[in-house]
Amino acid sequence: MIRAYAAFEQGAELQPFEYDPGELQACEVEIDVLYSGICHSDLSMIDNEWGISRYPLVPGHEIVGRIAKLGEKVRHFSPGELVGLGWHAGFCKECSLCCSGDHNLCASAQATIVGHYGGFAEKVRAQADSVVAIPDGLDVESAGPLFCGGITVFNPLVQFDVKPTDKVAVIGIGGLGHIALQFLNAWGCEVTAFTSSEVKRNEALQLGAHHALNSRDLSEVASASGQFDLIISTVNVKLDWNLFLSTLAPKGRLHFVGATLEPLDIGVFSLIGGQRSISGSPVGSPATIARMLDFARLHNIKPVVEKYKLADVNSALARLRSGKAHYRIVLER
Amino acid sequence: MIRAYAAFEQGAELQPFEYDPGELQACEVEIDVLYSGICHSDLSMIDNEWGISRYPLVPGHEIVGRIAKLGEKVRHFSPGELVGLGWHAGFCKECSLCCSGDHNLCASAQATIVGHYGGFAEKVRAQADSVVAIPDGLDVESAGPLFCGGITVFNPLVQFDVKPTDKVAVIGIGGLGHIALQFLNAWGCEVTAFTSSEVKRNEALQLGAHHALNSRDLSEVASASGQFDLIISTVNVKLDWNLFLSTLAPKGRLHFVGATLEPLDIGVFSLIGGQRSISGSPVGSPATIARMLDFARLHNIKPVVEKYKLADVNSALARLRSGKAHYRIVLER
């Protein structure tokens, strides 16, 4: 039996929950969970915002732990090895996307917390291919959030071949944005933070931004007209997207990793005139996660985390709901 | 004096007009116009739809002719040489875009028919750098439309590195779309035409499409779910863009070269889930026009044109306004 914390119905507080994981499959590993980050999508899943939740629901998809058991066909991990697990706990490994290294876009991928028990637990299981080794020297306590929040902002830099000479802006300096600033600074880019918080403006500069602008001050946004090669939006609120489009340089891209439910209302002429793009992307493949971890270790990039004991998971979730988490919460077993 | 046809006020029929072009500048050429295609944006400019028209307005920016005079610094053309001129008649040649080969995105570019007299005339002048030689063997009578309609649909293939193994759809089989089908077929792609016209469905197959679907039949569009790496939209009417987004494969791109005035109303989740992009672009640089002409010559790609005498320009414009042009109109001097 595996002891975990689960929501038993939509929006409920988590309660202790035990489940029998059954026999370990040949391609699976079992991980002793050490740390588990809390992502905003854990809340979305508890609340069934996307209509795909199944209960009892064990959240947790920013998992750091040690390999406890190996399926008989798993060769590339050793017992006790430090590993991480993110949004995906398995892939079909047969579709053209998996075969091209784009596992994160696999339509049959197994999400860690959708019809599968996640990391708010003493143990978690996953297909070995979805688990990534943590390189020596990476800060273990803060590594969890890299596996969802981190890869979500790192992946676009790889996918769209962002250049160190590019000017890049990040909208929203929270759980994702504060990691994005660190990656972009180390990537060599000139980095601008857009935030509506005065406190975060100063912190953004410490985290790697070269400039910080108020995302709610239309004249301040407009002052950046035509500047950015890439804007990464991490927010889930509606902003004046056409105004932000006007801050893109020709050939620039406005990229969404945070989702607003309202449609985007984009004017076509502002795309055509400067050959601009709008796009979005979800997390990243295991191979890209591995590249990210090496990059984070080399450049000493760390999510800023608040730690809670796993037993205090409901206090931690309440803290995240309050919007005051600074910047990411990690549960410690 | 140069004899031309001009609109003297918004929406007016064209009338004979003579102007003094002044002294030929050192970097300019003067072209004896042989053929001049009519583009929908000539109508937009006559009607001042974009608020940038100046009258008398001489339309015409799909020009084929022979070099008549060379400015003293022009070395790369000879008198009598066959050349073409498109939307741009000059560039700043100093900005980072011009210096990077992206002249078509130069903010100071001189449009051929904005504050400059265009090709519905016996002669036209342009900065030599904006003029492109027509390779031997290209069909001269139908070449004009390549210089605006053609390059507008060819340029995205170059800009976004479209692969011959890609599946590409074209929405709208008109002046631009019917050329796009030919380019894409020669590019090696599997080509789908979306059109609402039964007649055009059959013609699309003859022009190079492998499949033709009804763009107004929602179930027929939906049947293409998840297929396309690229969709090029040439239409200027509002369609169900989220439905078309759902026909993109993961990493696919919905690209606009036709502009609707209504905003796009795009759902963010459909971008994020499959790492999809939306974008737009205008015409292309002279270097890309030259590549296009070589490609068109090699593959015998020709705009399908109706010919009118220049003196019958008002009949030709009325024909274009009727929506019945098949597929592009060329004025012959």
Side-chain angles (χ1 to χ4, degrees):
Chain A
M1 299 297 279
I2 291 179
R3 284 176 296 181
Y5 285 87
F8 284 82
E9 58 180 25
Q10 181 175 350
E13 289 217 327
L14 304 199
Q15 295 177 34
F17 167 63
E18 289 197 1
Y19 68 94
D20 177 358
E23 198 176 343
L24 189 69
Q25 300 298 303
C27 295
E28 281 187 334
V29 296
E30 185 169 283
I31 301 168
D32 275 336
V33 178
L34 295 173
Y35 300 99
S36 204
I38 311 184
C39 176
H40 210 278
S41 46
D42 289 313
L43 292 180
S44 298
M45 284 295 296
I46 290 170
D47 297 345
N48 196 19
E49 269 179 27
W50 303 328
I52 55 171
S53 301
R54 282 178 262 169
Y55 303 89
L57 186 148
V58 178
H61 59 276
E62 296 189 333
I63 301 161
V64 167
R66 291 191 182 278
I67 295 287
K69 291 185 193 166
L70 295 162
E72 64 188 33
K73 290 193 177 166
V74 180
R75 296 279 173 275
H76 64 296
F77 288 119
S78 312
E81 189 171 351
L82 205 57
V83 296
L85 177 69
W87 179 257
H88 290 122
F91 306 100
C92 83
K93 297 189 280 184
E94 293 176 349
C95 71
S96 66
L97 292 156
C98 284
C99 293
S100 306
D102 293 317
H103 302 71
N104 55 313
L105 303 179
C106 169
S108 309
Q110 171 63 61
T112 301
I113 63 171
V114 183
H116 181 274
Y117 296 129
F120 293 1
E122 59 179 11
K123 296 174 190 296
V124 68
R125 287 194 178 171
Q127 196 186 79
D129 306 63
S130 65
V131 173
V132 181
I134 293 182
D136 287 346
L138 192 77
D139 181 64
V140 178
E141 293 193 0
S142 66
L146 292 174
F147 282 82
C148 179
I151 189 61
T152 296
V153 294
F154 182 85
N155 191 48
L157 311 190
V158 175
Q159 294 300 319
F160 302 117
D161 197 19
V162 171
K163 303 283 191 293
T165 51
D166 283 350
K167 297 184 181 183
V168 182
V170 177
I171 305 176
I173 309 307
L176 273 63
H178 91 283
I179 311 177
L181 296 179
Q182 298 179 66
F183 280 136
L184 286 163
N185 182 286
W187 205 264
C189 299
E190 184 171 338
V191 185
T192 297
F194 280 110
T195 174
S196 54
S197 151
E198 195 58 42
V199 171
K200 287 186 179 176
R201 283 174 75 148
N202 292 324
E203 293 186 352
L205 297 172
Q206 289 160 24
L207 285 162
H210 302 96
H211 318 283
L213 297 173
N214 186 337
S215 55
R216 297 282 184 184
D217 180 331
L218 299 191
S219 66
E220 207 160 299
V221 177
S223 73
S225 173
Q227 283 195 14
F228 304 117
D229 300 294
L230 172 69
I231 300 173
I232 299 176
S233 173
T234 72
V235 299
N236 56 7
V237 294
K238 184 171 166 60
L239 296 177
D240 184 342
W241 300 121
N242 286 302
L243 180 62
F244 279 98
L245 269 183
S246 75
T247 68
L248 288 176
K251 297 191 172 185
R253 176 185 294 274
L254 172 57
H255 187 73
F256 290 88
V257 295
T260 59
L261 294 176
E262 292 165 273
L264 288 175
D265 282 348
I266 297 291
V268 192
F269 278 101
S270 54
L271 297 179
I272 292 180
Q275 195 184 310
R276 297 185 174 95
S277 294
I278 298 170
S279 51
S281 65
V283 294
S285 69
T288 310
I289 292 173
R291 287 172 73 180
M292 171 192 69
L293 296 176
D294 280 341
F295 192 78
R297 182 187 52 75
L298 180 67
H299 294 284
N300 198 28
I301 288 165
K302 289 183 204 177
V304 175
V305 301
E306 298 176 353
K307 281 197 292 180
Y308 282 74
K309 288 286 178 191
L310 176 58
D312 297 328
V313 60
N314 287 310
S315 304
L317 287 168
R319 171 78 172 164
L320 181 60
R321 281 189 197 277
S322 76
K324 293 181 185 153
H326 184 259
Y327 281 94
R328 203 75 169 171
I329 297 172
V330 167
L331 298 172
E332 184 178 23
R333 232 185 84 209
Chain B
M1 299 297 279
I2 290 179
R3 284 177 296 181
Y5 285 87
F8 283 82
E9 59 181 23
Q10 183 174 350
E13 289 217 327
L14 304 199
Q15 295 178 34
F17 167 63
E18 289 197 4
Y19 68 93
D20 177 358
E23 199 177 343
L24 190 69
Q25 301 297 303
C27 295
E28 280 185 335
V29 296
E30 186 169 285
I31 301 168
D32 275 336
V33 178
L34 295 173
Y35 300 98
S36 204
I38 311 183
C39 175
H40 210 279
S41 47
D42 289 313
L43 292 180
S44 298
M45 285 295 295
I46 291 170
D47 296 346
N48 197 20
E49 269 178 28
W50 304 327
I52 54 172
S53 300
R54 282 177 261 167
Y55 302 88
L57 186 147
V58 178
H61 59 275
E62 295 189 334
I63 301 161
V64 168
R66 291 192 181 277
I67 296 286
K69 292 185 193 167
L70 296 161
E72 63 188 32
K73 290 193 177 165
V74 180
R75 296 279 173 274
H76 65 294
F77 289 119
S78 312
E81 191 171 351
L82 205 57
V83 296
L85 177 69
W87 179 257
H88 290 123
F91 306 101
C92 82
K93 297 188 279 186
E94 293 176 350
C95 70
S96 66
L97 291 156
C98 283
C99 293
S100 305
D102 294 317
H103 301 71
N104 55 312
L105 304 178
C106 169
S108 309
Q110 171 63 61
T112 302
I113 63 170
V114 184
H116 181 274
Y117 296 129
F120 293 1
E122 58 179 9
K123 295 174 190 295
V124 67
R125 286 193 180 172
Q127 195 186 80
D129 306 64
S130 64
V131 173
V132 181
I134 293 181
D136 286 347
L138 192 77
D139 180 64
V140 178
E141 293 193 359
S142 65
L146 292 174
F147 282 82
C148 179
I151 189 61
T152 297
V153 295
F154 182 86
N155 190 47
L157 312 189
V158 175
Q159 294 300 319
F160 303 118
D161 197 19
V162 171
K163 303 283 191 291
T165 51
D166 284 350
K167 296 184 181 183
V168 182
V170 177
I171 305 177
I173 309 308
L176 273 63
H178 90 284
I179 310 177
L181 296 179
Q182 297 179 67
F183 280 137
L184 287 163
N185 182 285
W187 204 264
C189 299
E190 184 172 338
V191 185
T192 297
F194 280 111
T195 174
S196 55
S197 151
E198 196 57 42
V199 172
K200 287 185 179 177
R201 284 174 75 148
N202 292 324
E203 293 186 352
L205 297 172
Q206 288 160 23
L207 286 162
H210 302 96
H211 318 283
L213 297 172
N214 186 338
S215 56
R216 297 282 184 182
D217 180 330
L218 299 190
S219 66
E220 209 160 298
V221 177
S223 74
S225 173
Q227 283 196 13
F228 304 117
D229 299 294
L230 172 68
I231 300 173
I232 299 176
S233 174
T234 71
V235 299
N236 57 7
V237 294
K238 184 172 167 59
L239 297 177
D240 184 342
W241 300 121
N242 286 301
L243 180 61
F244 279 99
L245 269 183
S246 75
T247 69
L248 288 176
K251 297 191 172 185
R253 175 185 295 273
L254 172 56
H255 187 73
F256 290 89
V257 295
T260 60
L261 294 174
E262 292 165 273
L264 288 175
D265 282 348
I266 298 291
V268 191
F269 278 101
S270 54
L271 297 179
I272 291 179
Q275 194 183 310
R276 296 185 174 93
S277 295
I278 297 171
S279 51
S281 65
V283 293
S285 69
T288 310
I289 292 173
R291 288 171 73 179
M292 170 192 68
L293 296 176
D294 279 340
F295 192 77
R297 183 187 51 76
L298 180 66
H299 295 283
N300 197 28
I301 288 165
K302 290 183 203 176
V304 174
V305 301
E306 297 177 353
K307 281 196 294 181
Y308 282 75
K309 287 286 178 191
L310 176 57
D312 298 328
V313 60
N314 287 309
S315 304
L317 288 168
R319 171 80 173 163
L320 182 59
R321 281 190 198 276
S322 76
K324 293 181 185 153
H326 184 260
Y327 281 95
R328 203 77 170 171
I329 297 172
V330 168
L331 299 171
E332 184 178 23
R333 232 186 84 211

